[in-house]
């Protein structure tokens, strides 16, 4: 544990000295916030409140990029080799990625809450503790996903290409950029298979609907299960040296991380409850009555 | 003799079709500075990396402080310190931070300022890794290897690619460690380094030890070989010089030829006659005692720099 924290401090220090990291983890999310709130929501507090969970989800999902690239760079430059001689195991290195992502993302998230309240006058945040839980789960889960990509790829370039491909999928089909209600039904159904959707749904329900976490069991289970599986797999696939190759069977193993989301996607589609509830939340926006959806 | 600190028996390692180690055996005693001398590709780094626990041998025994490097875990890692080849630190890590980081990873809190002072890095504490010169990086690597006061040090080509001046600075540090009684295994392809720093030297070539002894003992093996460096007015085929009486080896050097002879007087007479016949002229001739380089040439028929 102490080793993990020692590594975490070093990695946060390095991240804060990296301009690209600051740009992507601080400036980009804030730019998104202003874009959504001023342009799409036209500064109208209820509309801003409705889009805010999407902005938060984007910020939180940034951990997917976060420090996984740093780990690939460490391996590529022979830095991991040096750590291999010390009493540091793969688990500590991987955990330090997640932990530093968490500590570095929280201030941005907090800043977004403050801005949305101070600049756009959003005053109700529904179930704030529930939202905090989803923020935590989101950062951890998406950071763990990033670690799998880091384990599979050999160079930073490869990592970036693969990250981009997955990132676009998350971004556009999860409701993080365009709310799901605007999608055709088949796409809405498809999005139920994406981990990012569970994060967006969790944040929307807690923040807008003030829904208690116990009604969001499937989302919590999906994110926790995904994080645990992703961490275990990236541990199994961990490589110290740039020269070490990974086998095809190991790559196939990495695909196992989609299992919980596959199961949940099937289940959600069979039940078809979330989709309808999301539409209710959206419709309530236009009504004079409470913007809160009915609780289940 | 007490239990050796490093014990290597019949070590074998193959990379695909290349046999990197073909049965290497040696032992290093407590407080000894042991050198593996040989050209690139001789198997020095493979040997050291097996002993550090970074590679697995295909066959044979490797033991450090009585522990198996692959299974020793943290107990093993605390016993060894190492300067690796092909490694780096993050560019934006400061010298002071790096030393503190490694001390924390080992759970040690020794006087880090004194350590940096000793390695001549005291005024570089705030410098980023990417601002350091090659020599400074190597001194930092030594500091990180020493931060937990290990019993054994592995130095893999600690001065490769450094200027002669900087190389000597590193020698002084290693000599100080030697005086303190640290057990050190170092690899090198510099003769000077092996002669100056090592108590015993193993000469390696193509995955085998071809000679082992103190530098003086090894030189003794070549006692009947003498170096004759000659400068001529005009170039000459080295094939002709090789045929001279007593000559076992001949190679061109920067401004002439280096002959190894087992009968220097006869060789010199033959040389003068040959030159006269060719209308060439001898401009200078220098005779010197053999070095480890000559031992290597004698054993392998090649120079270390080939």
């Amino acid at each position: 544990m102490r080793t993990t924290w020692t590594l975490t401090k070093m990695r946060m220090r390095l991240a804060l000295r990296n301009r690209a990291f600051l740009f992507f983890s601080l400036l980009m999310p804030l730019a998104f916030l202003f874009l959504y709130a001023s342009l799409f929501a036209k500064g109208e507090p209820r509309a801003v409140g409705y889009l805010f969970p999407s902005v938060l989800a984007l910020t939180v999902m940034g951990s997917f990029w976060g420090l996984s690239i740093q780990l690939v760079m460490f391996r590529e430059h022979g830095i991991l080799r040096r750590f291999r001689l010390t009493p540091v195991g793969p688990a500590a290195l991987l955990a330090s990625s997640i932990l530093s992502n968490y500590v570095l993302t929280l201030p941005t998230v907090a800043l977004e809450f403050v801005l949305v309240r101070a600049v756009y006058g959003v005053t109700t945040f529904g179930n704030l503790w529930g939202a905090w839980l989803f923020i935590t789960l989101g950062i951890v889960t998406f950071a763990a996903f990033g670690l799998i990509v880091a384990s599979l790829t050999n160079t930073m370039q490869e990592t970036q290409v693969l990250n981009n491909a997955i990132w676009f999928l998350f971004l556009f089909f999860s409701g993080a950029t365009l709310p799901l209600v605007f999608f055709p039904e088949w796409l809405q159904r498809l999005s139920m298979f994406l981990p990012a959707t569970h994060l967006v749904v969790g944040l929307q329900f807690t923040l807008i609907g003030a829904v208690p976490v116990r009604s969001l069991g499937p989302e919590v289970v999906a994110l926790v299960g995904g994080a645990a599986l992703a961490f275990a797999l990236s541990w199994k696939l961990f490589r110290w040296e740039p020269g070490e190759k990974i086998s095809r069977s190991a790559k196939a193993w990495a695909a196992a991380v989609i299992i919980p989301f596959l199961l949940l996607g099937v289940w959600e589609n069979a039940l078809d409850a979330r989709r309808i509830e999301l539409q209710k939340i959206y419709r309530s926006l236009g009504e004079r009555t409470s913007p809160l959806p009915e609780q289940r | 003799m007490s239990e050796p600190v490093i014990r290597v028996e019949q070590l074998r390692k193959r990379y695909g079709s290349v046999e990197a180690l073909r049965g290497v055996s040696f032992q290093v005693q407590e407080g000894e500075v042991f050198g593996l001398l040989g050209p690139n590709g001789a198997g020095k780094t493979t040997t050291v990396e097996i002993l550090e626990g970074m590679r697995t041998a295909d066959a044979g025994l490797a033991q450090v402080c009585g522990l198996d490097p692959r299974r020793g875990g943290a107990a093993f890692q605390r016993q060894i310190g190492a300067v690796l080849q092909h490694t780096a630190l993050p560019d934006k890590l400061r010298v002071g931070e790096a030393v503190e980081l490694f001390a924390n990873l080992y759970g040690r809190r020794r006087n880090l300022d004194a350590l940096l002072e000793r390695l001549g890095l005291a005024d570089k504490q705030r410098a980023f890794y990417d601002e350091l010169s090659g020599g400074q990086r190597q001194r930092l690597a030594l500091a990180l290897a020493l931060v937990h006061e290990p019993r054994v040090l592995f130095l893999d080509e600690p001065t490769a690619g450094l200027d002669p001046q900087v190389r000597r600075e590193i020698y002084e540090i290693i000599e100080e460690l030697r005086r303190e009684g640290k057990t050190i295994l170092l690899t090198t392809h510099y003769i000077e380094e092996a002669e100056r720093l090592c108590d015993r030297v193993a000469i390696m070539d193509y995955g085998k030890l071809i000679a082992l002894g103190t530098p003086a003992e090894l030189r003794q093996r070549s006692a009947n070989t003498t170096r004759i460096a000659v400068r001529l007015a005009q170039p000459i085929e080295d094939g002709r010089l090789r045929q001279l009486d007593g000559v076992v080896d001949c190679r061109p050097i920067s401004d002439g030829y280096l002959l190894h002879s087992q009968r220097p007087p006869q060789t010199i007479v033959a040389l003068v006659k040959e030159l006269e016949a060719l209308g060439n002229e001898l401009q200078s001739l220098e005779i010197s005692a053999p070095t480890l380089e000559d031992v290597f040439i004698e054993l392998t028929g090649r120079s270390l720099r080939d």
Side-chain angles (χ1 to χ4, degrees):
Chain A
M1 232 19 239
R2 206 204 54 230
T3 309
T4 306
W5 182 238
T6 301
L7 289 170
T8 303
K9 280 191 291 186
M10 167 194 74
R11 303 194 60 188
M12 288 195 296
R13 218 175 240 161
L14 292 173
L16 291 172
R17 286 173 190 164
N18 179 346
R19 280 199 199 110
F21 180 86
L22 290 178
F23 176 79
F24 284 111
S25 67
L26 187 65
L27 284 182
M28 282 259 287
L30 294 183
F32 269 117
L33 175 67
F34 286 116
L35 185 77
Y36 276 51
S38 296
L39 228 61
F40 300 155
K42 309 209 164 49
E44 205 276 306
R46 270 166 49 133
V48 174
Y50 179 72
L51 289 177
F52 184 49
S54 295
V55 175
L56 277 180
L58 271 177
T59 310
V60 162
M61 275 161 32
S63 70
F64 176 62
W65 287 93
L67 295 170
S68 57
I69 302 241
Q70 197 188 58
L71 207 59
V72 176
M73 186 269 283
F74 277 12
R75 185 174 60 223
E76 216 182 335
H77 291 186
I79 296 167
L80 281 189
R81 265 169 72 77
R82 187 60 191 82
F83 284 110
R84 190 180 186 180
L85 289 174
T86 65
V88 167
L93 275 160
L94 294 169
S96 75
S97 285
I98 295 179
L99 204 58
S100 31
N101 260 321
Y102 186 60
V103 179
L104 290 172
T105 310
L106 281 188
T108 311
V109 168
L111 189 60
E112 284 175 340
F113 270 97
V114 169
L115 286 173
V116 130
R117 196 191 162 99
V119 179
Y120 299 101
V122 177
T123 47
T124 45
F125 290 113
N127 174 2
L128 208 51
W129 282 109
W132 176 75
L133 178 76
F134 274 100
I135 288 164
T136 301
L137 288 180
I139 298 173
V140 170
T141 308
F142 284 89
F145 288 163
L147 291 178
I148 290 212
V149 179
S151 297
L152 288 178
T153 49
N154 292 315
T155 62
M156 281 190 279
Q157 259 180 336
E158 265 178 56
T159 318
Q160 265 157 354
V161 169
L162 196 54
N163 265 7
N164 264 314
I166 300 171
W167 181 243
F168 273 102
L169 208 67
F170 285 167
L171 220 56
F172 293 112
F173 301 116
S174 65
T177 31
L178 193 66
L180 282 177
V181 288
F182 296 143
F183 289 177
E185 188 186 329
W186 65 272
L187 205 52
Q188 291 184 15
R189 283 180 175 277
L190 211 60
S191 76
M192 289 300 158
F193 289 95
L194 282 182
T197 307
H198 304 307
L199 174 65
V200 176
V201 166
L203 287 170
Q204 280 185 338
F205 276 55
T206 47
L207 281 174
I208 308 173
V211 172
V213 172
R214 81 183 114 79
S215 321
L216 294 166
E219 280 74 14
V220 173
V221 170
L223 292 173
V224 171
L229 210 55
F231 189 81
L233 288 170
S234 54
W235 191 349
K236 184 180 156 68
L237 299 174
F238 188 85
R239 289 172 294 158
W240 293 99
E241 310 252 354
E244 282 176 72
K245 294 281 167 267
I246 39 169
S247 61
R248 267 167 200 276
S249 64
K251 282 185 190 171
W253 265 104
V257 76
I258 63 172
I259 289 172
F261 302 102
L262 215 57
L263 294 178
L264 190 65
V266 170
W267 192 71
E268 296 273 18
N269 272 302
L271 223 62
D272 208 15
R274 285 289 184 258
R275 228 166 46 78
I276 291 156
E277 287 165 79
L278 283 171
Q279 276 160 0
K280 268 192 207 154
I281 297 186
Y282 178 67
R283 273 199 299 273
S284 70
L285 202 66
E287 291 163 13
R288 285 262 153 188
T289 49
S290 157
L292 305 181
E294 292 160 32
Q295 287 190 13
R296 290 184 303 165
Chain B
M1 219 185 252
S2 61
E3 182 69 9
V5 176
I6 298 174
R7 170 183 243 144
V8 175
E9 275 167 31
Q10 287 302 315
L11 216 52
R12 291 182 173 273
K13 176 77 183 175
R14 171 187 280 281
Y15 301 116
S17 61
V18 182
E19 261 192 295
L21 296 182
R22 303 184 296 158
V24 170
S25 306
F26 62 86
Q27 297 187 347
V28 181
Q29 303 297 326
E30 182 94 58
E32 196 175 25
V33 179
F34 189 92
L36 289 175
L37 174 70
N40 290 330
K44 296 169 297 186
T45 297
T46 301
T47 307
V48 170
E49 289 190 348
I50 289 172
L51 288 168
E52 288 164 346
M54 303 193 36
R55 290 181 194 280
T56 317
D58 297 336
L61 174 93
Q63 247 183 21
V64 179
C65 305
L67 296 167
D68 175 351
R70 274 313 248 199
R71 301 213 186 89
F76 167 75
Q77 283 158 338
R78 278 169 216 287
Q79 300 269 15
I80 67 156
V83 171
L84 298 175
Q85 275 195 87
H86 312 298
T87 185
L89 289 173
D91 283 346
K92 294 298 171 201
L93 195 62
R94 296 181 200 277
V95 169
E97 292 168 351
V99 177
E100 200 182 302
L101 169 73
F102 276 72
N104 285 336
L105 293 181
Y106 286 103
R108 281 293 186 100
R109 268 259 149 253
R110 68 178 269 183
N111 189 343
L112 298 176
D113 288 340
L115 180 66
L116 287 173
E117 182 76 44
R118 180 174 161 190
L119 289 163
L121 289 167
D123 56 340
K124 288 282 166 200
Q125 291 232 30
R126 301 274 308 155
F128 287 126
Y129 183 71
D130 65 357
E131 296 166 355
L132 299 180
S133 69
Q136 288 164 343
R137 285 180 187 198
Q138 213 55 1
R139 278 184 277 152
L140 176 59
L142 273 164
L144 298 181
L146 291 168
V147 91
H148 54 299
E149 299 178 70
R151 191 166 154 210
V152 189
L153 266 184
F154 294 102
L155 310 177
D156 195 3
E157 305 266 357
T159 64
L162 299 178
D163 301 338
Q165 169 64 29
V166 181
R167 214 182 287 163
R168 276 190 283 279
E169 284 172 26
I170 304 283
Y171 291 168
E172 278 163 31
I173 297 169
I174 297 174
E175 278 169 331
E176 204 184 311
L177 293 168
R178 179 190 187 176
R179 279 195 292 278
E180 288 171 18
K182 274 261 187 291
T183 306
I184 301 176
L185 176 64
L186 80 86
T187 74
T188 182
H189 59 268
Y190 295 120
I191 300 289
E192 181 198 0
E193 201 161 302
E195 296 215 19
R196 174 166 168 182
L197 300 175
C198 298
D199 297 311
R200 282 193 307 144
V201 177
I203 300 182
M204 259 188 118
D205 196 34
Y206 290 124
K208 281 194 116 125
L209 292 197
I210 53 177
L212 197 159
T214 65
E217 278 166 8
L218 290 173
R219 276 194 305 267
Q220 199 59 42
R221 289 180 61 136
S222 300
N224 54 357
T225 308
T226 303
R227 294 160 61 99
I228 306 175
V230 296
R231 245 172 57 210
L232 308 177
Q234 292 149 31
I236 186 171
E237 292 167 57
D238 29 326
R240 278 189 182 267
L241 297 177
R242 206 182 287 267
Q243 282 158 16
L244 300 175
D245 196 10
V247 171
V248 288
D249 185 69
C250 170
R251 57 195 57 244
I253 51 174
S254 56
D255 55 349
Y257 301 89
L258 179 65
L259 307 174
H260 286 88
S261 167
Q262 291 181 328
R263 290 188 297 282
Q266 285 87 333
T267 300
I268 292 166
V269 171
L271 172 70
V272 172
K273 279 187 186 156
E274 177 81 14
L275 291 177
E276 235 168 21
L278 288 169
N280 205 335
E281 203 178 311
L282 187 62
Q283 292 192 323
S284 76
L285 185 146
E286 204 178 298
I287 297 178
S288 54
T291 65
L292 282 185
E293 171 97 52
D294 304 299
V295 179
F296 188 83
I297 290 168
E298 198 182 292
L299 288 168
T300 66
R302 294 176 296 120
S303 147
L304 266 173
R305 278 177 282 274
D306 281 357

